[in-house]
């Protein structure tokens, strides 16, 4: 066994070796800028300088960054000057930049990205945008079985829509063979019985995400019979597959948010719908009750007994008026009859007879003169209480 040393001793040794290398104290490195990030609180800039399959991390502190005449951006060809040092805590070798000079043209990776993007755009692969299922029953996740992406997707789906069935199609998401693995995974998902496919991975460097810029992946996504959501990297990262998918999500978690509704919102919607239905039903019942009451009043008004009852007072007043008028007529007639009776009594012969007078008649004819009777004639004498026969004896 050799000499045992600590990690910090190794890192210090490396730092010392690099620091004593005069060729690395002041160096200018040509490459393509990627993974550029500016730390706004501190003002420091962090990026990667790459060429082909080789790369080196770089940092430019604020004091130098403030003096830059150009603003670095991903895909830019540049010559970065500074010194190579080892960051002892991580044992990482990186370029401490003091100057950045732009070179004409884009970097190799950026140029390849733009060329493929233009090619697929002209072929119409970016135009297919199908609607996502509103309430999918099953989702297929095409991603790494051990990455953070699948964990994020599971957590969000469990919280938002616990009824969903999730099937994982494990694939390589970076490194050699990753594009072929992803394309195959999307193809396998076609026969999974799923309603929706989420494919992607968590964040990383542009090199880590490069598998999703492969043409084979783009064409597999376009050929999918099932709607797709691309969830590659962080919010600021864009890949070729983002443009081909039916929908792009900035992160795997966001993809899960887009994929399913929130059960709490569904429940709230059901409660709101129930309340609206209850309000409409109550309004309809009240409207029907009012109509029934109106109809009942109309029917009641048409009932003979009700009509008679309603007109009873009128009939009573009319009857009383008729009775009064009839009584007056009767009284008038009684008065007339009494007057007539008195008049008749005044001219009644029997009343005269009652006063001592008599009526003499012969052969049924009334004798009004002595000359109408001869001696020996018989005649009838009628008095108030009877009559008798008499004979004329002479004059």
């Amino acid at each position: 066994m050799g000499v045992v040393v600590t990690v910090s001793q190794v890192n210090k040794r490396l730092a010392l070796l690099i620091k004593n290398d005069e060729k690395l104290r002041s160096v200018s490195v040509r490459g393509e800028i990627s993974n550029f990030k500016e730390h706004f609180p501190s003002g420091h800039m962090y990026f990667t300088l790459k060429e082909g399959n080789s790369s080196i991390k770089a940092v430019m502190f604020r004091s130098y960054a403030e003096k830059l005449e150009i603003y670095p951006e991903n895909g830019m060809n540049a010559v970065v000057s500074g010194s190579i040092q080892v960051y002892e805590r991580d044992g990482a070798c990186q370029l401490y930049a003091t100057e950045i000079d732009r070179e004409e043209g884009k970097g190799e990776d950026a140029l390849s990205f733009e060329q493929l993007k233009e090619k697929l755009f002209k072929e119409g692969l970016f135009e297919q945008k199908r609607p996502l299922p509103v309430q999918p029953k099953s989702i297929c996740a095409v991603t790494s079985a051990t990455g953070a992406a699948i964990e994020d997707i599971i957590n969000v789906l469990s919280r938002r829509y616990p009824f969903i069935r999730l099937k994982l199609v494990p694939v390589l998401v970076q490194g050699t063979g990753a594009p072929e693995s992803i394309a195959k995974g999307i193809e396998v998902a076609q026969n999974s019985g799923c309603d929706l496919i989420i494919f992607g991975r968590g964040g990383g460097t542009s090199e880590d995400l490069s598998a999703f810029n492969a043409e084979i992946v783009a064409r597999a996504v376009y050929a999918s019979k099932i709607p797709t959501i691309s969830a590659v990297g962080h919010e600021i990262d864009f890949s070729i597959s983002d443009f081909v998918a039916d929908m792009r999500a900035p992160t795997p978690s966001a993809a899960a948010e887009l994929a399913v509704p929130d059960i709490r919102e569904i429940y709230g919607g059901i409660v709101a719908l129930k309340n609206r239905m209850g309000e409409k039903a109550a309004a309809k019942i009240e409207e029907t009750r009012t109509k029934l009451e109106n109809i009942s009043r109309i029917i009641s008004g048409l009932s003979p007994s009700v009509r008679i009852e309603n007109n009873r007072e009128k009939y009573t007043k009319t009857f009383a008026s008729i009775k009064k008028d009839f009584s007056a007529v009767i009284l008038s007639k009684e008065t007339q009859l009494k007057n007539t009776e008195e008049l008749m009594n005044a001219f009644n012969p029997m009343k005269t007879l009652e006063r001592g007078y008599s009526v003499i008649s012969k052969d049924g004819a009334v004798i009004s003169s002595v000359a109408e009777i001869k001696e020996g004639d018989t005649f009838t004498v009628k008095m108030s209480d009877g009559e008798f026969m008499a004979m004329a004896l002479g004059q």
Side-chain angles (χ1 to χ4, degrees):
M1 179 183 293
V3 179
V4 177
V5 295
T6 63
V7 173
S8 60
Q9 288 175 333
V10 171
N11 289 350
K12 286 181 179 180
R13 181 63 177 174
L14 288 174
L16 185 59
L17 289 174
I18 296 298
K19 185 177 181 181
N20 291 332
D21 190 335
E22 295 183 0
K23 293 183 178 180
L24 298 180
R25 291 179 185 176
S26 178
V27 63
S28 295
V29 184
R30 176 183 289 108
E32 177 185 346
I33 293 178
S34 65
N35 304 313
F36 177 81
K37 294 179 181 178
E38 183 174 8
H39 192 263
F40 289 102
S42 65
H44 304 330
M45 293 181 177
Y46 301 90
F47 56 94
T48 300
L49 202 60
K50 64 181 183 178
E51 176 195 14
N53 294 325
S54 300
S55 65
I56 184 172
K57 294 182 180 293
V59 59
M60 175 176 276
F61 295 125
R62 178 177 180 178
S63 57
Y64 294 105
E66 291 177 338
K67 300 175 182 179
L68 287 178
E69 297 181 359
I70 63 169
Y71 193 80
E73 57 184 25
N74 290 326
M76 185 178 77
N77 272 338
V79 174
V80 181
S81 300
S83 62
I84 306 296
Q85 300 180 34
V86 172
Y87 184 41
E88 289 188 20
R89 190 194 70 181
D90 299 332
C93 181
Q94 60 184 9
L95 173 59
Y96 287 79
T98 56
E99 296 181 10
I100 299 178
D101 295 316
R102 180 195 296 270
E103 287 202 333
E104 293 298 327
K106 293 186 177 181
E108 181 180 345
D109 289 347
L111 184 60
S112 298
F113 181 92
E114 293 298 332
Q115 288 176 343
L116 180 57
K117 180 180 175 183
E118 181 67 18
K119 174 186 176 181
L120 299 181
F121 173 77
K122 289 181 179 179
E123 291 185 26
L125 269 66
F126 298 170
E127 296 177 2
Q128 178 176 269
K129 302 299 175 189
R130 294 165 295 190
L132 304 182
V134 178
Q135 291 185 5
K137 297 179 180 178
S138 179
I139 293 177
C140 200
V142 180
T143 187
S144 171
T146 59
I150 188 63
E151 295 297 329
D152 292 342
I153 291 173
I154 291 173
N155 290 336
V156 173
L157 293 182
S158 300
R159 170 174 54 82
R160 286 179 62 85
Y161 202 66
F163 314 109
I164 197 71
R165 288 184 290 111
L166 178 65
K167 180 177 180 181
L168 171 65
V169 178
V171 297
L172 299 174
V173 293
Q174 70 181 67
T176 304
E180 291 76 14
S181 179
I182 297 168
K184 182 63 178 179
I186 294 173
E187 181 181 344
V188 170
Q190 304 304 303
N191 301 316
S192 66
C194 297
D195 306 314
L196 180 65
I197 296 174
I198 297 176
F199 68 90
R201 58 157 293 160
T205 66
S206 60
E207 291 76 18
D208 295 336
L209 308 179
S210 62
F212 294 92
N213 290 326
E215 184 173 353
I216 187 174
V217 174
R219 295 196 181 278
V221 173
Y222 181 75
S224 174
K225 297 176 295 185
I226 304 171
T228 58
I229 299 179
S230 174
V232 181
H234 298 300
E235 187 170 355
I236 61 173
D237 300 317
F238 276 85
S239 65
I240 293 294
S241 59
D242 288 335
F243 299 107
V244 183
D246 294 295
M247 181 171 289
R248 177 204 178 244
T251 63
S253 296
E257 296 271 355
L258 294 171
V260 296
D262 191 332
I263 189 64
R264 293 169 296 182
E265 294 178 0
I266 294 177
Y267 178 75
I270 292 174
V271 172
L273 180 60
K274 178 183 176 182
N275 292 338
R276 288 197 298 271
M277 291 178 64
E279 292 172 358
K280 289 185 177 180
K284 191 65 177 180
I285 290 173
E286 184 62 28
E287 179 184 353
T288 303
R289 180 185 290 111
T290 301
K291 288 183 178 180
L292 289 176
E293 290 176 352
N294 293 335
I295 293 173
S296 178
R297 283 195 292 269
I298 293 173
I299 293 175
S300 298
L302 296 175
S303 172
S305 60
V306 174
R307 295 180 67 182
I308 289 174
E309 185 64 27
N310 292 338
N311 291 320
R312 182 180 300 278
E313 184 178 354
K314 182 176 69 175
Y315 294 154
T316 301
K317 289 182 179 179
T318 302
F319 180 75
S321 177
I322 292 174
K323 183 178 180 181
K324 180 179 179 181
D325 293 343
F326 191 69
S327 297
V329 171
I330 291 175
L331 181 62
S332 175
K333 295 301 182 182
E334 287 178 347
T335 302
Q336 291 179 7
L337 182 61
K338 185 176 181 180
N339 292 337
T340 302
E341 182 181 5
E342 292 176 355
L343 184 61
M344 290 178 65
N345 288 334
F347 291 97
N348 188 350
M350 294 303 293
K351 295 295 183 178
T352 303
L353 295 178
E354 290 177 356
R355 293 197 297 271
Y357 293 95
S358 61
V359 178
I360 300 173
S361 60
K362 180 182 177 182
D363 299 330
V366 176
I367 302 302
S368 59
S369 175
V370 174
E372 297 179 7
I373 300 175
K374 295 185 293 185
E375 185 177 353
D377 288 341
T378 60
F379 54 88
T380 301
V381 179
K382 183 176 180 60
M383 300 186 73
S384 62
D385 55 353
E387 60 183 25
F388 61 88
M389 295 297 293
M391 180 182 291
L393 297 180
Q395 300 182 353

